[in-house]
Amino acid sequence: MNAFNPTQALASRVRRHLLGAAAGTALAAALPFPAAAQATTKRIRFAHTAPLMHGWHLWAEQFKKGIEARTGGKIQVQIFPNAQMGNERDTGQAVRSGALEMGAIGVGLSNWVPELAITDAPFLWKSRAQAYGAFGGAFGAELARRCMDKGFVLTGWTDLGFRCITNNKRAVTSAKDLQDLKMRVPVSKAYIAMMQAMGASTVAVDLSELYLALRQGVADGQDTPPSVVKSNKYYEVQKFVTKTDHVLTTGYTIANPKFFASLNPDEKAAFLAAATEADNYLRDYTQKDELEAYAFLKAQGMQVTLDPDAESFRKACAPVIAKLPELFPPDLVKMAQATPV
């Protein structure tokens, strides 16, 4: 009996989805192109786990528009949102194996490239400009190299928003105000250490269960970008929100190396230009969305603190980076923080 091969199984799963009868339009798009078109048309299947208004889908739509225009339709992009191709790990594995050409993934990419956890380091950046400069410079190039070593072409840095802190107990204007609050964290050593460094206790809750946990008091508060507080209606179960900007939530778009290598020089140029354009589009969108989200949350009755004592949070969290070198490699931290603000 042949041994089970997880890569083949995943590829089979993707093929079954593409050829399944669940979505007629998807079926028509997924079936092979007519013979005359096959010689001139290349297809990119792009998968992500998020809903249609999420930054990943907006990035994918902009990328699709850009590359199809630049190649005169010779490269076509099909987008599969809402975890149609499985969870983030499934997406990463499918891109790595070549069952998919592209995908978007968050910190789950650190399952293959542990160093990517560095973007969750608290207060790694002093500004968005510094982060963007680092991603576009030596820091980003080094992470891209490490991704390539593990089987991924890193094609984009998706800005999903600076995180804020919400809670039900008190206004948070400095780090000391987090003392004794029960803060929800994702299942992440970095986030647990960060919240505990500021004096909070932590409770791990999946994002899908967070609204109920906040409503029932399992957690007093949580941290996500303000757009998530808005879209997930946490304002219904939280009273206070503080613009701490402690982590810039960063996602990644990735491509299969063999697919990317198969593109001719003009196609690669069009691909990279479209990816950069999509990055810039999403960055502009996210910054505008953040401002609108805080205004929306205030209108819903939340007490909004936009100018807390940022230095108190930085000081409290500084030891976290030093204590977790396995998550935050010192050489990468130094490279990131040396980028001009």
Side-chain angles (χ1 to χ4, degrees):
M1 181 179 294
N2 294 332
F4 174 72
N5 185 314
T7 299
Q8 290 180 353
L10 180 58
S12 176
R13 175 181 176 181
V14 172
R15 286 194 297 270
R16 285 198 303 272
H17 175 86
L18 290 172
L19 297 174
T25 56
L27 173 61
L31 287 172
F33 290 100
Q38 287 183 1
T40 58
T41 304
K42 294 181 180 179
R43 177 179 59 183
I44 295 176
R45 293 163 297 181
F46 185 105
H48 66 81
T49 60
L52 300 185
M53 287 307 297
H54 189 274
W56 282 341
H57 196 74
L58 300 178
W59 191 99
E61 288 186 319
Q62 193 67 25
F63 175 77
K64 171 182 171 68
K65 177 182 176 181
I67 197 169
E68 289 181 359
R70 284 179 169 85
T71 62
K74 291 182 179 180
I75 295 180
Q76 295 284 322
V77 179
Q78 298 170 251
I79 307 171
F80 297 90
N82 290 309
Q84 291 180 37
M85 296 297 189
N87 60 29
E88 283 192 38
R89 188 173 182 85
D90 294 332
T91 299
Q93 182 58 36
V95 171
R96 193 168 187 249
S97 70
L100 287 171
E101 289 77 29
M102 289 187 72
I105 189 170
V107 293
L109 191 55
S110 62
N111 287 318
W112 293 278
V113 192
E115 299 91 332
L116 286 177
I118 190 173
T119 57
D120 275 341
F123 297 100
L124 180 66
W125 313 114
K126 292 183 179 179
S127 67
R128 265 194 169 92
Q130 184 185 34
Y132 295 168
F135 292 150
F139 173 80
E142 177 59 20
L143 289 184
R145 183 190 67 77
R146 298 187 190 199
C147 286
M148 181 63 81
D149 288 345
K150 298 299 175 64
F152 302 96
V153 176
L154 187 57
T155 58
W157 307 89
T158 54
D159 178 350
L160 300 178
F162 269 118
R163 298 173 87 92
C164 64
I165 288 175
T166 71
N167 82 98
N168 257 333
K169 297 294 185 181
R170 64 182 78 100
V172 173
T173 60
S174 68
K176 64 180 177 59
D177 294 324
L178 286 172
Q179 291 283 337
D180 303 322
L181 289 183
K182 290 186 298 182
M183 294 296 295
R184 174 268 176 183
V185 291
V187 181
S188 162
K189 188 175 181 180
Y191 279 91
I192 291 171
M194 176 178 63
M195 286 299 174
Q196 291 179 347
M198 292 186 284
S201 61
T202 59
V203 53
V205 177
D206 187 82
L207 190 67
S208 64
E209 301 171 350
L210 180 51
Y211 181 96
L212 185 61
L214 294 171
R215 189 176 72 181
Q216 294 181 341
V218 174
D220 297 321
Q222 60 86 47
D223 79 307
T224 51
S227 57
V228 176
V229 180
K230 174 184 175 181
S231 62
N232 290 8
K233 298 185 178 182
Y234 298 151
Y235 55 84
E236 295 179 346
V237 290
Q238 296 277 269
K239 297 177 183 176
F240 305 95
V241 58
T242 304
K243 187 179 183 294
T244 47
D245 291 354
H246 50 284
V247 171
L248 180 62
T249 307
T250 307
Y252 315 96
T253 54
I254 51 176
N256 175 265
K258 289 184 179 179
F259 165 76
F260 187 74
S262 74
L263 301 177
N264 65 40
D266 288 342
E267 291 169 341
K268 285 180 180 176
F271 183 107
L272 295 174
T276 298
E277 183 178 73
D279 273 355
N280 291 335
Y281 172 84
L282 185 58
R283 288 170 180 181
D284 290 343
Y285 175 90
T286 299
Q287 291 178 62
K288 180 181 178 183
D289 190 50
E290 274 186 9
L291 294 175
E292 291 178 350
Y294 281 117
F296 174 87
L297 297 176
K298 183 176 181 179
Q300 300 306 307
M302 293 191 78
Q303 182 174 322
V304 179
T305 301
L306 296 177
D307 56 350
D309 179 3
E311 190 56 33
S312 71
F313 293 99
R314 285 184 180 276
K315 185 176 180 180
C317 292
V320 174
I321 294 179
K323 289 179 180 178
L324 296 173
E326 71 278 14
L327 294 179
F328 313 132
D331 61 326
L332 292 177
V333 171
K334 184 177 180 180
M335 192 181 297
Q337 295 181 338
T339 307
V341 177

